[in-house]
């Protein structure tokens, strides 16, 4: 099937002329456009496959990434609970529940909004969600206690070893009424509520279990308020400190519970707490630490559908978010590289690229259904323009960039070969049955050789503001993949596979 031109979307001339020119002058994709376009369906399949490489615990018979084996089979034993399963969040072997829960929420949102575009990969996408939710149910099974981390990060980061060989401390960390963590608990509630929607038509009893648990976890988060990085500072900082406070996760959890239950109490909670919990703060941020932009986009769907006029302020915030990240409109927190990539301060820039692009795409769909455009001063941002910007980011990831390199492992003719990932960079158990100790992996870490195991579908942290990329393990900010980079990308790739 012939592919559409990847550089200009259908309907390009209908954009606001001024805004389109600003976009074209600031981000010129013609220089890097792939002649044949991209195989978004192949990229979608690989982006979902990646999650199997991140699995912890007893692997199932249908495991497709064969170089991975069972690992961390005694997680939770020191606390007398079963905390096996779940995901390693990135290239290390710690299970951080805060980013794992956010990953689950975004995977679920990808399925909820783009289910009909996922096609034959729907089953694998649902399995990716369930691998996380099964773990989250274990982590929240004990009344009044939520387990939020397995593994001592400092011990883990002093070693370079396969998850199958792990002998670092598997310390279990928890929150309770005396050591609150409304941020991580609120995110878990959001994840369980979002996943309950995914399973509603597939497994009603499992869906009900997820939703019932989401309600209880949210009640805990709201009743015992506080940041988990205050209660567990020495364990979770500087790795997954909540720098933006717990307030956004409470609104985020309530928004997903309202979407899943339609109960008036959650809508009233949102209205009552909009100002108190600072819904309008830092609207140009969205990720595991900051949910503000996501909250406003998610709730705005109700407003744009004409079902929630009392929540109009969230749409105003969502519109402001859109205007704040458009190319050519000056904003100190959002920049674009010369090659056109969204760049924000901090590590693992690609997490911002995929999460913000997901919101652009989701909001563009909501706007389309309402026949609405976003006013940005004297200009107008149409749904078509938002889709084009999101697609430009996806195409950059897949190879339309100054390096002419795909930043997804296994996609395209050229991609990162030395990613910062323990399991990928060390010989597999099948190739090297003998144990590789804590310091025994150092030679592999510093080796210039490509990783022996390809983590298909992994999207790395990506290039910097100058579009340069060092394909080397020690440069972890650029070369490390994470689950929360891939989760929103699933929705993006699903949509563009159906609308290339």
């Amino acid at each position: 099937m012939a592919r559409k031109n990847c550089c200009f979307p259908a309907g390009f001339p209908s954009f606001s002329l001024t805004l389109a020119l600003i976009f074209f002058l600031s981000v010129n994709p013609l220089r890097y456009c792939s002649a044949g376009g991209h195989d978004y369906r192949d990229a979608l399949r690989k982006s979902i496959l990646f999650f199997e490489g991140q699995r912890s615990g007893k692997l199932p018979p249908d495991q497709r990434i064969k170089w991975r084996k069972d690992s961390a089979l005694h997680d939770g034993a020191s606390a007398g609970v079963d905390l096996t399963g779940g995901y390693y969040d990135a290239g290390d072997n710690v299970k951080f529940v805060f980013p794992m829960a956010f990953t689950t929420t975004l995977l679920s949102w990808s399925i909820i909004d783009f289910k009909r575009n996922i096609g034959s990969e729907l089953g694998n996408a649902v399995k990716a969600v369930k691998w996380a939710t099964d773990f989250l149910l274990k982590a929240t099974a004990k009344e009044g206690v939520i387990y939020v981390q397995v593994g001592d990060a400092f011990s883990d980061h002093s070693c370079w070893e396969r998850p199958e060989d792990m002998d670092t401390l598997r310390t279990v960390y928890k929150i309770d009424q005396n050591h609150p963590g409304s941020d991580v608990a609120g995110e878990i509630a959001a994840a369980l509520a979002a996943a309950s929607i995914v399973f509603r038509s597939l497994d009603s009893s499992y869906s009900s279990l997820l939703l019932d648990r989401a309600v209880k976890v949210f009640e805990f988060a709201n009743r015992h308020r506080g940041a988990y990085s205050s209660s567990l500072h020495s364990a979770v900082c500087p790795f997954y400190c909540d720098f933006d406070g717990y307030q956004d996760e409470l609104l985020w959890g309530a928004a997903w519970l309202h979407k899943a239950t339609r109960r008036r109490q959650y809508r009233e909670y949102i209205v009552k707490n909009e100002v108190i919990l600072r819904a309008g703060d830092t609207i140009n941020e969205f990720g595991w630490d900051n949910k503000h932009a996501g909250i406003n986009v998610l709730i705005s769907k109700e407003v744009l559908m004409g079902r929630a006029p009392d929540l109009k302020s969230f749409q105003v915030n969502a519109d402001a978010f859109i205007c704040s990240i458009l190319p050519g409109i000056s904003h100190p927190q959002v920049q674009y590289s010369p090659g056109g990539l969204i760049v924000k301060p901090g590590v693992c820039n690609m997490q911002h690229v995929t999460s913000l692009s997901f919101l652009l795409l989701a909001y563009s769909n909501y706007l389309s259904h309402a026949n609405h455009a976003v006013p940005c001063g004297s200009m107008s941002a149409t749904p078509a323009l938002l889709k084009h910007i999101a697609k430009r980011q996806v195409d950059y990831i897949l190879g339309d960039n100054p390096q002419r390199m795909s930043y997804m492992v296994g996609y395209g003719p050229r991609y990162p070969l030395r990613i910062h990932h323990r399991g990928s960079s060390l010989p597999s158990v099948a190739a090297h049955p003998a144990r590789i100790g804590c310091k025994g992996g150092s030679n592999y870490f510093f080796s210039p050789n490509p990783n022996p195991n390809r983590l298909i579908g992994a999207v790395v942290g990506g290039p910097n503001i100058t579009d340069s990329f060092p394909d080397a393990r020690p440069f972890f900010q650029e070369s490390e993949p994470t689950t929360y980079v891939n989760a929103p990308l699933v929705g993006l790739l699903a949509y563009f596979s159906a609308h290339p």
Side-chain angles (χ1 to χ4, degrees), residues 387-403:
K387 286 185 174 70
H388 181 53
I389 298 172
K391 185 173 183 291
R392 176 71 190 99
Q393 298 304 304
V394 172
D395 288 348
Y396 186 109
I397 292 171
L398 297 182
D400 293 357
N401 56 64
Q403 298 289 335

Side-chain angles (χ1 to χ4, degrees), residues 23 30 51 68 94 140 172 175 196-197 258 266 318 329 431 446 456 472 483:
F23 176 69
L30 282 171
F51 289 95
R68 282 297 324 282
V94 182
T140 57
V172 174
I175 57 173
S196 76
I197 301 173
H258 180 254
Y266 296 114
I329 295 182
F446 291 109
I456 299 296
T483 58

Side-chain angles (χ1 to χ4, degrees), residues 347-361:
V347 299
C348 186
N349 182 63
M350 214 59 92
Q351 66 177 308
H352 305 300
V353 176
T354 59
S355 292
L356 294 175
S357 296
F358 179 90
L359 292 186
L360 284 171
L361 179 62

Side-chain angles (χ1 to χ4, degrees), residues 228-281:
Y228 95 130
S229 49
S230 297
S231 299
L232 298 171
H233 188 273
S234 62
V236 303
C237 297
F239 311 102
Y240 287 101
C241 258
D242 186 355
F243 296 102
D244 287 295
Y246 63 83
Q247 290 85 353
D248 53 328
E249 278 81 23
L250 288 176
L251 273 179
W252 179 239
W256 277 107
L257 277 163
H258 180 254
K259 187 175 179 68
T261 66
R262 313 309 301 175
R263 294 177 190 167
R264 187 170 183 81
Q265 70 187 83
Y266 296 114
R267 181 165 175 163
E268 291 175 347
Y269 182 96
I270 292 166
V271 172
K272 179 181 178 181
N273 289 282
E274 175 189 357
V275 175
I276 298 170
L277 298 179
R278 309 198 308 267
D281 282 13

Side-chain angles (χ1 to χ4, degrees), residues 210-460:
L210 294 173
L211 190 54
D212 289 346
R213 188 65 57 80
V215 169
K216 292 177 181 177
V217 172
F218 181 77
E219 289 174 353
F220 173 89
N222 190 47
R223 184 182 306 115
H224 307 294
R225 294 192 179 190
Y228 95 130
S229 49
S230 297
S231 299
L232 298 171
H233 188 273
S234 62
V236 303
C237 297
F239 311 102
Y240 287 101
C241 258
D242 186 355
F243 296 102
D244 287 295
Y246 63 83
Q247 290 85 353
D248 53 328
E249 278 81 23
L250 288 176
L251 273 179
W252 179 239
W256 277 107
L257 277 163
H258 180 254
K259 187 175 179 68
T261 66
R262 313 309 301 175
R263 294 177 190 167
R264 187 170 183 81
Q265 70 187 83
Y266 296 114
R267 181 165 175 163
E268 291 175 347
Y269 182 96
I270 292 166
V271 172
K272 179 181 178 181
N273 289 282
E274 175 189 357
V275 175
I276 298 170
L277 298 179
R278 309 198 308 267
D281 282 13
T282 52
I283 53 169
N284 62 339
E285 290 274 356
F286 185 53
W288 61 264
D289 184 29
N290 190 319
K291 314 305 185 310
H292 288 105
I295 292 165
N296 289 299
V297 167
L298 181 66
I299 294 175
S300 292
K301 183 179 182 181
E302 296 284 304
V303 182
L304 290 164
M305 297 299 105
R307 296 196 292 259
D310 55 329
L311 300 176
K312 177 70 175 178
S313 56
F314 288 91
Q315 186 201 334
V316 173
N317 290 338
D319 285 355
F321 155 69
I322 294 299
C323 296
S324 77
I325 65 171
L326 291 179
I329 295 182
S330 177
H331 197 286
Q333 293 300 311
V334 180
Q335 302 177 66
Y336 284 77
S337 73
L341 185 70
I342 290 173
V343 179
K344 286 180 66 66
V347 299
C348 186
N349 182 63
M350 214 59 92
Q351 66 177 308
H352 305 300
V353 176
T354 59
S355 292
L356 294 175
S357 296
F358 179 90
L359 292 186
L360 284 171
L361 179 62
Y363 200 52
S364 72
N365 285 340
Y366 306 158
L367 292 168
S368 294
H369 288 299
N371 194 28
H372 183 74
V374 177
C376 295
S378 61
M379 299 172 289
S380 179
T382 65
L385 177 60
L386 304 190
K387 286 185 174 70
H388 181 53
I389 298 172
K391 185 173 183 291
R392 176 71 190 99
Q393 298 304 304
V394 172
D395 288 348
Y396 186 109
I397 292 171
L398 297 182
D400 293 357
N401 56 64
Q403 298 289 335
R404 299 193 181 278
M405 168 187 248
S406 160
Y407 291 105
M408 175 185 285
V409 174
Y411 178 85
R414 183 167 177 252
Y415 49 81
L417 299 175
R418 302 163 189 84
I419 67 172
H420 182 98
H421 189 277
R422 288 158 172 77
S424 172
S425 67
L426 293 159
S428 68
V429 172
H432 189 291
R435 181 179 172 277
I436 301 173
C438 171
K439 301 303 181 184
S442 298
N443 291 337
Y444 297 97
F445 176 77
F446 291 109
S447 169
N449 296 329
N451 288 8
N453 309 305
R454 287 192 307 165
L455 184 56
I456 299 296
V459 177
V460 296

